[in-house]
Amino acid sequence: MSHSETHILKFGGSSLKNASLINQSANIVAGHMQKAHPIVVVSAIGGVTDTLIELTNLDQKTEHKSCRIINDLELRHRRIFDEVASVSHPNRGDLQDLFGRLRTTFDDKSLKSEHYQAWKDQILSIGERASALIFSAALSEQQIESTAHESSHFVKTDSTFGKARVQRDATRKLIRKFINQSQAVPVITGFIGSNEKQQITTLGRSGSDYSAGLIADALDADHLEIWTDVDGVLTADPRWVPDAESIEQLSFGDISELSAHGARVIHPKTIQPIQNKKTTVLVKNSYNPEHPGTLITSDFDTNGSLKTIAITGPFVRLQIDQKYAYDLFEKLNKWSADNPNTKPIEFRQQSEFEAVRFSLKQSFFEDIKEQLSAWAAKQNTLFNLDDNLYKVKKFSNQFNKGEQLSGRVISLLAKNNIQPLHTERNYDERFISFLLPEDEARRAAHLINNAISKTKPVIDLFIAGTGAVGKTLLNQLNKLKTTDIEFRLIGTCNSRNTLWNTDGINLDTTLNWDEAEQTNWDTLLDKLTKNQHRDLIFVDATGSEEVARLYPKLFANTIHVVTPSKLANTFEQSFFDKLQSLIQKHHSSFNYETTVGAGLPVISTIEELQSTGNKITEISGVVSGTMTYLFNQLEQDVPFSKAIADARKKGYAEPDPRDDLSGEDVARKFLTLARTLGIKIEREELQVESLIPKELKDVDGKTFLGKLSDYDSEWKQRIRSAQERNETLRYTGKLKDGNITIGIESVPQDSPLGQLKGTDNLIQIYSEFYNQTPLVIQGPGAGKEVTAAGVLSDILKTVEQLT
Ligand code: ADP
Ligand code: ASP
Ligand code: MG
């Protein structure tokens, strides 16, 4: 064989889990043979190292389990062997011998007691040695000549069992000697080496990647491929952030830094041996081999594209009175010195007067717990403990280029009410790190990942209410084309049923209510607040008081609300104040533009005028489309009772028209306007003229509609007398000097109010700048299409406020 290129192909345990994955891996090797000389490095079969560790942890009480564990392991390997290779292959006998050796070693009580770590490494080495035998036999099955090699023959290390340090020069020479490239395809065990006494050592968990790097260096490989179970290096650990995305390309420096800080997709030392070489490294997914994976090269200029999150932990945080801090610091150092694999301490003191804080690896803390308690008891002091803490670290090349980015990440967390216990940002490092309890860490990782991902951020939506507005909104959402964000409808409900789908409900098909559960607002709230991974907007299209009363809990959980319902803003003033303070405190947002004038930009206009320091002095006009319609009909001689019946038929009026005629709807709109301006006012303080005849206030709906015609002539009279003065009637409201008056007003026929048609609204805003002629907002103030469109634009506005 004389190929110009050398390719190292490393298969992780997850790529060797069963016969079909091993066969696929063997095919990959075959594929490389076309153009290169492949050299294979294998991990133990997935899960095997964990089982071997379990074996070494058995004590006197549990030792009887060892036989079963070893037998099961042997059986698992033999089964896989028989599926991928022929029973006559010589490696089958070697595999059997290997398990014989495992039993002998396990029973070697004197080695175990004299040098437990050496004994342990011998046991752990079985995993890689077994998988090399199997893989090599699988290649033979494909007519590829191959030899299995135990790397303990050429990877030389010191005697730090469990995490041995490699002697690079000796190792390089020996690899060159043993792995003769003109031979059959070598299949080499990862993870293991040997010390000067030829005792087997291991390189630390995930060490096979490092072995592959060492071999790539010694053989001057052109290419190193690492086959694992994810689409390359991702923007975050997928077990924490399922949305994490694959990164196309990275530099050697980037990946070394990422893995050193806990992005454990490859061993932190993998690149070290080849860092001055031109070897290309490719991380690929055995479960999705078509995916291009991540290409890592020495000189790639990441130029800002290194954007990743690593999560490490768990940690515990100890706080102690500073009197005792120095002594504790010394003790911790001493205890950790006995334990070379734990670098435990961060020493933090916020100010002279505060308790001193230490954070340590939880596993280390478990080891020293008793000593620590004994120490504290002796000092007659107590320490405060938080456990299950994780560090979320965000990496970016841009950190070197200024502070903006860290500010953005910090405020992103603040906006979502995540308060890190500790934030770390070193001057010249490329990351910022946050210490958080587990749940918060998960949420923070999601939020940051969303914010940094190259594709659009995802915003979750829940839509309550599937009446006219809710349904129209769903349609509009489905048609919405956004380029920079993606909405995911995680649920929708009406008063009876609730549909959930955390992956997003498909809006192309009609909703399948067969899969719904019964609506229960408490459980619903629970579900919304727990497992909240992204920004969530709750749309209340219900008009239900019970739902409006849920807002405080939503805001307290930083769930944003968009609603066309007037209720929440028009309960007692104290409720309104409570909402505002929760919104402030928890960085939630509340958009309710459609509560006044449907799709017209009334609320946003007054907010904008106010925020630019333009004091609003008066708001007046018609804010009820139903009333505009009613008086238009009266102008045209339509009897009062018929006009109301028609308004009901056309869907302009509420089913019980008294809800409109009472003026309640207009009152709530003006109350909302006033409170939005910061005026404190209760509903009872409004003067509202009702169009409902006193005698008909309390009768049932049917009697009410039946009796209405009794008032036709009175109304005919009222409109006529106005018309005789070239005027007409309108139902208007006025907010001025903190007072609200609502009722019938006679206005000139040729005035803007007099000219109103259809279901139009007309709102006039007087302010310090607009004190002669008001700023006028006019247009359709009702209808499900305009209202739903207004709600949608509030949703988009919320997103703008978030990102
Ligand atoms: P193998 O068996 O192939 O050696 P490992 O389990 O050692 O696989 O490493 C792959 C795992 O690393 C992934 O399944 C993933 O859970 C984890 N991981 C952590 N951080 C990252 C990251 N940033 N990108 C990709 N994978 C990551
Ligand atoms: N088998 C070892 C482990 O599970 C080494 C490796 O997989 O790289 O850690
Ligand atoms: Mg690994």
Side-chain angles (χ1 to χ4, degrees):
M1 238 184 277
S2 66
H3 287 292
S4 52
E5 290 198 5
T6 300
H7 290 185
I8 314 293
L9 306 173
K10 183 260 167 177
F11 296 95
S14 50
S15 304
L16 304 169
K17 258 198 167 135
N18 55 44
S20 77
L21 280 162
I22 291 177
N23 283 331
Q24 177 185 295
S25 303
N27 279 328
I28 289 165
V29 177
H32 281 264
M33 292 187 70
Q34 322 276 329
K35 53 181 187 293
H37 183 66
I39 288 153
V40 178
V41 179
V42 289
S43 290
I45 286 170
V48 168
T49 307
D50 290 332
T51 310
L52 292 167
I53 290 176
E54 192 189 324
L55 198 60
T56 62
N57 285 339
L58 296 177
D59 53 24
Q60 270 175 343
K61 265 193 247 142
T62 49
E63 216 170 50
H64 62 276
K65 291 186 186 161
S66 67
C67 269
R68 192 183 47 77
I69 295 177
I70 297 177
N71 290 345
D72 286 354
L73 264 183
E74 182 173 15
L75 190 65
R76 180 169 175 212
H77 283 86
R78 190 141 29 93
R79 281 202 179 128
I80 295 181
F81 190 99
D82 290 347
E83 275 186 72
V84 299
S86 108
V87 276
S88 61
H89 195 286
N91 284 7
R92 197 170 189 271
D94 294 345
L95 189 66
Q96 202 171 352
D97 292 347
L98 192 63
F99 279 93
R101 238 167 299 157
L102 172 60
R103 291 188 178 91
T104 322
T105 310
F106 186 80
D107 292 334
D108 187 347
K109 293 285 180 291
S110 72
L111 179 61
K112 184 179 178 185
S113 62
E114 274 161 36
H115 205 329
Y116 175 79
Q117 297 295 344
W119 174 80
K120 180 172 174 178
D121 273 5
Q122 264 195 52
I123 290 182
L124 296 197
S125 74
I126 300 291
E128 270 68 12
R129 291 153 79 187
S131 69
L133 290 172
I134 296 176
F135 200 94
S136 170
L139 285 177
S140 315
E141 198 63 21
Q142 304 213 14
Q143 318 307 322
I144 299 171
E145 204 191 325
S146 146
T147 329
H149 292 267
E150 297 194 355
S151 53
S152 43
H153 296 143
F154 41 80
V155 173
K156 296 312 290 181
T157 72
D158 68 3
S159 295
T160 320
F161 295 95
K163 208 173 190 174
R165 279 184 286 264
V166 174
Q167 288 152 356
R168 294 277 306 282
D169 290 338
T171 299
R172 190 182 299 114
K173 279 189 201 130
L174 285 167
I175 293 175
R176 286 185 181 158
K177 187 171 142 200
F178 273 87
I179 307 298
N180 181 335
Q181 296 194 42
S182 61
Q183 282 173 3
V185 173
V187 178
I188 307 171
T189 60
F191 187 48
I192 59 184
S194 63
N195 66 5
E196 58 192 14
K197 293 189 213 151
Q198 316 309 329
Q199 288 171 300
I200 288 186
T201 54
T202 62
L203 309 183
R205 293 306 303 264
S206 274
S208 302
D209 299 324
Y210 183 28
S211 312
L214 292 166
I215 294 163
D217 165 46
L219 302 180
D220 293 319
D222 303 280
H223 184 65
L224 164 59
E225 238 166 69
I226 295 182
W227 286 84
T228 182
D229 59 354
V230 280
D231 291 337
V233 183
L234 309 179
T235 52
D237 186 334
R239 279 162 305 184
W240 285 78
V241 185
D243 286 349
E245 291 166 4
S246 168
I247 301 172
E248 265 168 57
Q249 203 169 347
L250 287 170
S251 71
F252 282 179
D254 297 336
I255 189 69
S256 302
E257 181 155 1
L258 289 182
S259 50
H261 285 280
R264 44 154 291 235
V265 58
I266 66 173
H267 189 280
K269 285 191 189 157
T270 312
I271 301 296
Q272 210 183 61
I274 51 168
Q275 63 188 340
N276 297 319
K277 302 222 157 155
K278 289 271 169 251
T279 319
T280 53
V281 179
L282 189 61
V283 182
K284 292 274 292 178
N285 189 356
S286 288
Y287 296 78
N288 186 15
E290 287 77 37
H291 192 281
T294 301
L295 179 65
I296 309 170
T297 51
S298 64
D299 50 359
F300 177 68
D301 181 6
T302 315
N303 191 23
S305 65
L306 169 69
K307 291 174 182 166
T308 8
I309 299 159
I311 297 127
T312 50
F315 294 93
V316 299
R317 187 174 73 153
L318 300 177
Q319 293 191 71
I320 188 140
D321 191 296
Q322 51 161 305
K323 239 187 348 205
Y324 307 100
Y326 187 71
D327 192 29
L328 178 60
F329 182 58
E330 294 231 292
K331 285 279 177 314
L332 287 172
N333 265 330
K334 187 171 146 274
W335 294 329
S336 67
D338 298 341
N339 190 344
N341 290 341
T342 18
K343 208 174 122 249
I345 317 167
E346 273 163 29
F347 182 70
R348 300 279 165 210
Q349 184 178 6
Q350 308 294 9
S351 86
E352 218 183 313
F353 306 103
E354 272 186 38
V356 178
R357 296 166 185 164
F358 301 92
S359 67
L360 359 157
K361 277 193 179 165
Q362 194 148 315
S363 55
F364 173 63
F365 170 77
E366 296 295 339
D367 291 345
I368 59 157
K369 209 156 68 184
E370 274 155 31
Q371 288 149 283
L372 190 65
S373 303
W375 170 83
K378 209 165 119 207
Q379 309 290 323
N380 204 6
T381 184
L382 292 170
F383 53 83
N384 195 318
L385 179 79
D386 297 296
D387 60 358
N388 269 328
L389 306 178
Y390 286 80
K391 276 186 195 166
V392 177
K393 295 181 188 167
K394 182 198 182 303
F395 294 85
S396 167
N397 277 353
Q398 315 224 315
F399 279 131
N400 328 36
K401 299 181 186 149
E403 285 295 319
Q404 252 177 0
L405 195 59
S406 38
R408 280 224 301 277
V409 189
I410 290 167
S411 70
L412 174 72
L413 298 188
K415 260 203 249 174
N416 287 280
N417 197 32
I418 295 175
Q419 292 167 5
L421 299 169
H422 180 65
T423 303
E424 195 182 331
R425 162 96 178 82
N426 292 339
Y427 173 67
D428 52 352
E429 301 216 31
R430 298 196 286 176
F431 70 91
I432 184 168
S433 140
F434 304 97
L435 184 68
L436 292 158
E438 186 172 352
D439 282 356
E440 300 251 294
R442 193 174 293 280
R443 211 151 67 83
H446 273 269
L447 288 165
I448 301 174
N449 187 63
N450 240 342
I452 63 172
S453 62
K454 57 178 187 286
T455 54
K456 28 191 181 182
V458 180
I459 307 279
D460 284 345
L461 283 179
F462 186 95
I463 299 181
T466 53
V469 173
K471 249 196 220 123
T472 315
L473 176 64
L474 286 174
N475 278 329
Q476 292 182 358
L477 260 177
N478 192 27
K479 289 193 204 116
L480 182 72
K481 299 256 176 310
T482 51
T483 48
D484 43 4
I485 35 163
E486 181 192 329
F487 287 112
R488 194 171 295 184
L489 181 68
I490 58 160
T492 181
C493 73
N494 52 38
S495 56
R496 293 169 310 275
N497 296 311
T498 307
L499 262 182
W500 290 100
N501 186 348
T502 42
D503 296 330
I505 293 174
N506 182 2
L507 290 173
D508 282 330
T509 55
T510 45
L511 298 182
N512 182 3
W513 289 101
D514 293 343
E515 290 165 10
E517 55 188 56
Q518 225 179 6
T519 297
N520 173 317
W521 296 113
D522 288 334
T523 13
L524 197 146
L525 198 68
D526 232 42
K527 262 200 175 158
L528 289 179
T529 51
K530 298 220 176 88
N531 302 317
Q532 188 195 339
H533 297 323
R534 296 186 196 87
D535 285 316
L536 169 61
I537 302 174
F538 180 89
V539 179
D540 173 13
T542 63
S544 137
E545 167 153 0
E546 202 180 355
V547 177
R549 296 272 178 199
L550 299 177
Y551 295 5
K553 288 195 184 126
L554 294 173
F555 290 141
N557 285 286
T558 318
I559 295 173
H560 316 288
V561 177
V562 167
T563 187
S565 159
K566 290 176 274 292
L567 294 172
N569 279 331
T570 57
F571 294 142
E572 60 283 6
Q573 176 74 44
S574 58
F575 187 81
F576 183 90
D577 295 342
K578 182 161 144 198
L579 293 184
Q580 293 306 315
S581 83
L582 286 168
I583 289 166
Q584 285 263 317
K585 181 162 172 222
H586 298 279
H587 308 274
S588 321
S589 79
F590 184 25
N591 284 298
Y592 50 86
E593 180 64 87
T594 49
T595 58
V596 183
L600 303 177
V602 183
I603 304 283
S604 56
T605 305
I606 64 173
E607 277 174 346
E608 265 162 41
L609 287 176
Q610 276 211 312
S611 72
T612 52
N614 191 350
K615 194 163 177 291
I616 290 169
T617 49
E618 180 186 323
I619 301 177
S620 60
V622 169
V623 291
S624 163
T626 319
M627 292 293 200
T628 306
Y629 177 81
L630 175 63
F631 286 102
N632 263 210
Q633 297 301 97
L634 294 180
E635 280 166 8
Q636 289 158 37
D637 271 352
V638 179
F640 182 64
S641 57
K642 180 162 190 311
I644 287 172
D646 288 350
R648 274 186 82 218
K649 247 188 252 151
K650 293 193 145 102
Y652 297 156
E654 301 293 322
D656 186 342
R658 276 174 292 190
D659 294 341
D660 292 300
L661 296 175
S662 66
E664 190 56 32
D665 171 71
V666 175
R668 285 185 187 269
K669 287 170 178 164
F670 268 89
L671 198 53
T672 303
L673 291 173
R675 287 178 175 173
T676 303
L677 289 180
I679 297 167
K680 306 248 179 229
I681 184 166
E682 298 288 358
R683 168 68 185 85
E684 298 73 48
E685 295 171 59
L686 274 64
Q687 293 164 37
V688 183
E689 179 185 355
S690 168
L691 303 192
I692 304 168
K694 271 200 197 65
E695 316 77 63
L696 298 187
K697 236 169 83 184
D698 299 318
V699 301
D700 64 86
K702 211 167 151 210
T703 319
F704 173 78
L705 290 171
K707 291 259 182 201
L708 267 184
S709 53
D710 295 356
Y711 302 86
D712 286 351
S713 62
E714 184 186 325
W715 276 103
K716 197 171 187 151
Q717 193 48 43
R718 281 180 84 170
I719 195 100
R720 280 248 170 95
S721 75
Q723 282 169 333
E724 276 159 18
R725 302 188 303 270
N726 285 333
E727 291 187 339
T728 186
L729 302 181
R730 290 290 179 262
Y731 192 79
T732 64
K734 179 187 276 186
L735 163 66
K736 195 174 182 185
D737 300 330
N739 297 313
I740 294 173
T741 30
I742 289 162
I744 297 169
E745 193 182 343
S746 191
V747 299
Q749 279 173 0
D750 56 5
S751 69
L753 278 180
Q755 293 286 315
L756 275 190
K757 292 281 173 309
T759 59
D760 274 9
N761 283 6
L762 189 150
I763 296 107
Q764 318 173 89
I765 304 170
Y766 293 84
S767 65
E768 279 171 343
F769 297 162
Y770 294 94
N771 56 7
Q772 298 301 318
T773 46
L775 191 160
V776 175
I777 302 169
Q778 181 177 353
K784 58 183 188 186
E785 290 289 339
V786 278
T787 305
V791 171
L792 189 57
S793 100
D794 268 356
I795 293 174
L796 295 169
K797 190 156 124 197
T798 309
V799 173
E800 232 167 77
Q801 290 159 346
L802 296 175
T803 47

